[in-house]
Amino acid sequence: MGDMPLPSIVRPHESLARYLTQSNHYRTQDYSVKAKAFEPPSDLRLSVFRVDGLAIEEVWELGQSNVVDRMNQPRNLYGMANIKASAVRDVGLDIDPDNIPPRHACLVGWPESKSEQMLIQHELAAKAHLVLRT
Amino acid sequence: MIAVCACSSNASPLAFPQNTGVSGTAYALADYVKEIEETLLARTMTIGRHYWETRRSLAHALESLAADNWDGYGAKPVDADSCLKAIQFSRLLPMDIPVPETEVDTDGEVRFEWYRSPRQVLSVAVGGDGRLAYAGLFGASRIHGTEYFSDQLPNTILDSIRRVYS
């Protein structure tokens, strides 16, 4: 799967996938992503995957095996919120390409304040592109 | 029989009054009024639609999100105090405001969202202590902050909700 090595630094134009495992994280009325899709967990490391160089089926396979199949509850992979690395940095976050598992990265640098976190979620959602799995 | 029953007025004439009864009879009266109110609301969904929609959403959330880690990423179970405050919040919303979407955050708090487009949107998260964390986008403008509520909603919140649809 996409064996091309990824650079250790995430370049601005790289695409990042936030996999959508809940149907209430996107809207089909206008094909938009909801802010909730970018809600950080308590450790403030929001999981994404670097998907440049992958075919769309490989993107879904990556999400299925590394996200959905590892959850402790049955979930569906509905799609992904696709966002450029530059858009993430524009809202003041950074990207930690930990590569565990391969292609994984975390959006880090979240503020402590809940309202500031919510604002960033809205900004990310507005800049993200919804891709549904068909 | 005299029942002492005080109702605080709300900034909006369309919002529901909050009972602050002080005697046993007042509590009984409050229950009776509540029963009548719920009957009326059930018949006229339009009047109490914020309240009913919130109650419906939260009833579902309490069933499905009551366990730890419901999202697979370590989410906390839905917070009962936040639910109660969220219901109180919904009762204070004036009728002219559209019914929001109701969600539960991973910290267990209830979140309301008013949405018109990706850059015309407002979210309000309700804490169990009445704290309202809010954030919104209005075109190129961005707002966020924290307010508290008890028996009436802060104007900042109401104005921001209306701004979504202006």
Side-chain angles (χ1 to χ4, degrees):
Chain A
M1 177 189 293
D3 288 336
M4 180 186 75
L6 289 166
S8 56
I9 295 172
V10 181
R11 294 163 300 186
H13 61 270
E14 263 194 62
S15 291
L16 304 171
R18 170 69 179 166
Y19 287 110
L20 305 173
T21 59
Q22 295 182 56
S23 60
N24 61 351
H25 282 181
Y26 60 91
R27 301 177 190 85
T28 50
Q29 306 94 298
D30 61 357
Y31 285 90
S32 61
V33 178
K34 287 190 184 180
K36 282 279 295 171
F38 290 100
E39 186 184 7
S42 55
D43 64 0
L44 300 183
R45 292 177 63 83
L46 185 73
S47 179
V48 295
F49 281 83
R50 303 168 71 184
V51 293
D52 274 4
L54 298 180
I56 191 66
E57 280 309 316
E58 291 177 315
V59 171
W60 299 138
E61 192 183 322
L62 185 70
Q64 186 68 42
S65 58
N66 289 293
V67 178
V68 176
D69 292 350
R70 292 183 183 201
M71 288 181 154
N72 55 6
Q73 297 173 26
R75 291 278 188 192
N76 285 329
L77 181 56
Y78 293 100
M80 65 171 163
N82 197 319
I83 190 163
K84 294 288 182 192
S86 57
V88 171
R89 293 185 177 119
D90 284 348
V91 298
L93 298 182
D94 203 356
I95 303 158
D96 174 16
D98 55 24
N99 211 39
I100 307 169
R103 289 185 172 270
H104 185 262
C106 285
L107 307 192
V108 297
W110 291 84
E112 289 294 325
S113 147
K114 178 150 183 171
S115 68
E116 285 181 79
Q117 289 179 12
M118 289 163 64
L119 181 62
I120 289 174
Q121 292 164 39
H122 279 304
E123 292 275 19
L124 293 174
K127 292 175 178 182
H129 175 59
L130 176 65
V131 183
L132 291 177
R133 190 182 191 186
T134 52
Chain B
M1 181 174 71
I2 299 172
V4 181
C5 182
C7 291
S8 64
S9 64
N10 188 276
S12 166
L14 298 176
F16 290 97
Q18 295 301 292
N19 191 299
T20 55
V22 294
S23 74
T25 310
Y27 284 118
L29 180 61
D31 286 343
Y32 179 63
V33 169
K34 188 178 172 193
E35 190 181 319
I36 293 172
E37 178 190 270
E38 292 193 352
T39 304
L40 285 171
L41 292 179
R43 289 180 186 169
T44 55
M45 287 291 288
T46 310
I47 295 174
R49 59 200 174 108
H50 299 108
Y51 169 65
W52 283 103
E53 284 296 323
T54 302
R55 259 182 56 156
R56 191 179 56 79
S57 297
L58 291 181
H60 174 71
L62 284 167
E63 276 180 20
S64 57
L65 311 177
D68 272 322
N69 197 26
W70 49 262
D71 68 342
Y73 290 108
K76 292 180 182 173
V78 59
D79 179 66
D81 289 335
S82 175
C83 279
L84 290 172
K85 281 290 179 186
I87 289 170
Q88 187 184 346
F89 179 96
S90 72
R91 293 168 74 103
L92 295 170
L93 288 168
M95 283 193 302
D96 61 302
I97 284 178
V99 175
E101 291 179 54
T102 307
E103 308 277 3
V104 176
D105 282 349
T106 53
D107 60 5
E109 290 185 350
V110 176
R111 179 192 296 213
F112 294 108
E113 185 172 291
W114 288 266
Y115 175 86
R116 211 172 93 191
S117 71
R119 297 207 72 88
Q120 206 68 27
V121 59
L122 179 83
S123 290
V124 178
V126 184
D129 57 355
R131 176 184 44 76
L132 302 172
Y134 65 93
L137 301 178
F138 306 101
S141 301
R142 313 149 80 233
I143 63 161
H144 74 88
T146 304
E147 295 278 351
Y148 284 82
F149 84 104
S150 54
D151 59 355
Q152 65 180 43
L153 297 185
N155 284 333
T156 309
I157 300 293
L158 290 174
D159 292 346
S160 299
I161 296 170
R162 291 197 168 99
R163 196 173 170 190
V164 173
Y165 301 96
S166 64

